[in-house]
Amino acid sequence: MRGIRATWQALTADLSTALEGARRAWTGPSRERDLVIQALKAALAAWVAWAVAGWWLQAPVAFVAPWVAVVLVESTVYRSLTHGLQQLAAIAVGTVVATAVGLALPYTEAAMAVVLPVVLLLGQWHRLGSQGIYAATGALFTLTAGPFSVVTSAARLGEALFGAVVGLAVNALIRPPVYLRDARALLQDTADEAHDILQEVAEGLAEGRLDADEATGWHDRAVRLHPLVEQAKAAVGWNQESRRINLRRRPKTLADAGRGYDDAATVLEYAAVHTAGVTRTVLETVSDEDAAPRLDAGLARHYARYLSLTAHALRLYSNSRFGPATEDGLRDAVHDMRETLQTLRQDLVRTTSDDPAGVAVYGALLAQAHRLARQMVLSAD
């Protein structure tokens, strides 16, 4: 009964997610709308390829054209072109080998036994990339799709070429995909989450509210920042690729935005690493009963102010990169961070000079603060 309930809850959650995705696709520009458009484009490419090859020209192996067309409406126009060339090469290899062996051997079973190991090995050639498997597919179609001959095989290659041209043309001419929105959303999510974590840690330190469970939650969230940054960096890479051979792009605008997103990914990677470092140090301190007295109340409040300023600077940085805000406020916030950091150094010397354990704890916190401040200074320049 429990398993049925868990399955039902999972299905309900999936349905809710799907409905929310459909709502976003309907209401405005979003990743979900982009996916819908790409699916419709693939369907259109297949329909055009079949209408021409199958209905109008009555080609002998017309099904090859829509099959190639639909799989070549790729995530970027550049990928459509490169994968199209690789796929055509792979299909040609499989078709030629299968035709030669099939004409020499009278039985399909014997021909398959000879051809498949050969084309599967040829499909591993690095020049064919991820499309190497189509060598085996082309060979199987040649051997199993009825009587074959040199003419039929040539027609099959012609249909594959036509389908590739249709798929590439549809992807390039009808709203070719770009990925700036994906990169921007992921980077904003990372900046917002880092801001929230640092602000909550700052409030906990300022109020003397250092609970081990809460510190564990902070650290768990901080650790998850790094995968967010990696996803954002991947989206930036997709954006760079999507600008290649893309008729939709506005070169200067997208190039400048792409460079800005590269810089943002670097800054937020530092923020993720050092946020995790701060939360780990706080967690280790409050998790050890003997270490709890090491947190001097005055120094903790000063460090809380520094974290709050850092969180504010991250928010301003995010706004300066992805919103209408200017960088003047960011420079002021970074200046305040540096002044507070200098005060922290002086307080550390005065407060913990006779406490080696305290020096170790605040030394770790201060090191993380220094590195993060340095990166924010560079980003504000």
Side-chain angles (χ1 to χ4, degrees):
M1 188 66 179
R2 184 177 300 174
I4 295 175
R5 185 181 297 111
T7 301
W8 174 253
Q9 290 175 346
L11 290 173
T12 303
D14 290 343
L15 179 60
S16 176
T17 301
L19 291 175
E20 177 62 20
R23 184 193 65 79
R24 286 195 294 266
W26 179 262
T27 56
S30 62
R31 174 59 176 158
E32 289 76 13
R33 175 173 287 187
D34 292 341
L35 291 173
V36 170
I37 290 173
Q38 284 299 102
L40 293 175
K41 286 167 57 179
L44 174 63
W47 183 87
V48 170
W50 174 257
V52 174
W55 176 71
W56 183 29
L57 298 178
Q58 297 290 313
V61 282
F63 71 92
V64 175
W67 167 58
V68 173
V70 75
V71 299
L72 286 185
V73 180
E74 292 265 9
S75 49
T76 66
V77 178
Y78 174 77
R79 190 157 298 204
S80 288
L81 177 60
T82 55
H83 283 185
L85 294 173
Q86 290 174 330
Q87 187 178 127
L88 287 174
I91 292 174
V93 167
T95 301
V96 169
V97 172
T99 301
V101 175
L103 291 174
L105 297 178
Y107 300 107
T108 301
E109 293 78 5
M112 289 178 63
V114 173
V115 168
L116 288 180
V118 174
V119 295
L120 285 170
L121 286 174
L122 291 174
Q124 301 301 314
W125 187 30
H126 70 95
R127 298 289 185 187
L128 297 179
S130 61
Q131 307 301 301
I133 188 62
Y134 289 104
T137 304
L140 285 172
F141 281 160
T142 300
L143 294 174
T144 61
F148 60 88
S149 64
V150 173
V151 173
T152 304
S153 296
R156 182 174 284 105
L157 293 177
E159 298 304 327
L161 176 60
F162 176 71
V165 170
V166 171
L168 177 61
V170 168
N171 207 26
L173 298 176
I174 302 177
R175 202 177 182 275
V178 293
Y179 290 86
L180 278 177
R181 183 166 50 247
D182 293 351
R184 174 176 176 168
L186 287 165
L187 289 169
Q188 281 187 306
D189 289 346
T190 304
D192 290 345
E193 179 67 356
H195 167 275
D196 293 345
I197 294 169
L198 290 173
Q199 190 61 46
E200 290 178 23
V201 175
E203 292 172 359
L205 288 172
E207 298 169 6
R209 176 172 46 84
L210 294 174
D211 177 77
D213 291 337
E214 192 168 25
T216 299
W218 292 334
H219 185 57
D220 288 344
R221 289 169 60 192
V223 168
R224 289 194 291 270
L225 284 175
H226 188 262
L228 273 178
V229 174
E230 290 301 310
Q231 292 178 43
K233 289 169 67 177
V236 170
W238 279 104
N239 169 64
Q240 292 172 343
E241 183 178 301
S242 72
R243 296 201 307 267
R244 303 174 71 175
I245 324 176
N246 193 331
L247 302 178
R248 178 185 172 194
R249 69 188 178 99
R250 291 169 292 176
K252 188 176 186 308
T253 302
L254 291 182
D256 291 344
R259 282 193 293 271
Y261 289 0
D262 281 333
D263 296 340
T266 300
V267 171
L268 293 176
E269 188 169 27
Y270 272 92
V273 169
H274 299 306
T275 299
V278 168
T279 57
R280 180 176 60 250
T281 303
V282 171
L283 175 60
E284 290 173 349
T285 301
V286 301
S287 298
D288 186 349
E289 293 181 358
D290 296 333
R294 298 175 193 167
L295 288 172
D296 176 78
L299 198 54
R301 284 194 296 272
H302 287 167
Y303 196 80
R305 170 169 167 72
Y306 171 79
L307 290 182
S308 183
L309 287 171
T310 303
H312 180 58
L314 279 172
R315 175 59 55 80
L316 291 175
Y317 178 79
S318 175
N319 290 340
S320 71
R321 287 295 180 271
F322 314 121
T326 66
E327 295 190 356
D328 293 337
L330 174 61
R331 292 189 181 93
D332 294 339
V334 170
H335 176 72
D336 292 342
M337 282 177 61
R338 297 180 70 177
E339 287 191 344
T340 304
L341 186 59
Q342 182 61 33
T343 302
L344 274 174
R345 291 194 188 99
Q346 297 169 356
D347 289 346
L348 177 63
V349 174
R350 289 197 303 266
T351 307
T352 63
S353 58
D354 297 327
D355 182 8
V359 171
V361 171
Y362 284 105
L365 290 173
L366 197 61
Q368 300 294 347
H370 174 75
R371 294 181 185 121
L372 187 52
R374 181 175 180 274
Q375 189 61 36
M376 295 304 299
V377 168
L378 293 174
S379 69
D381 291 340

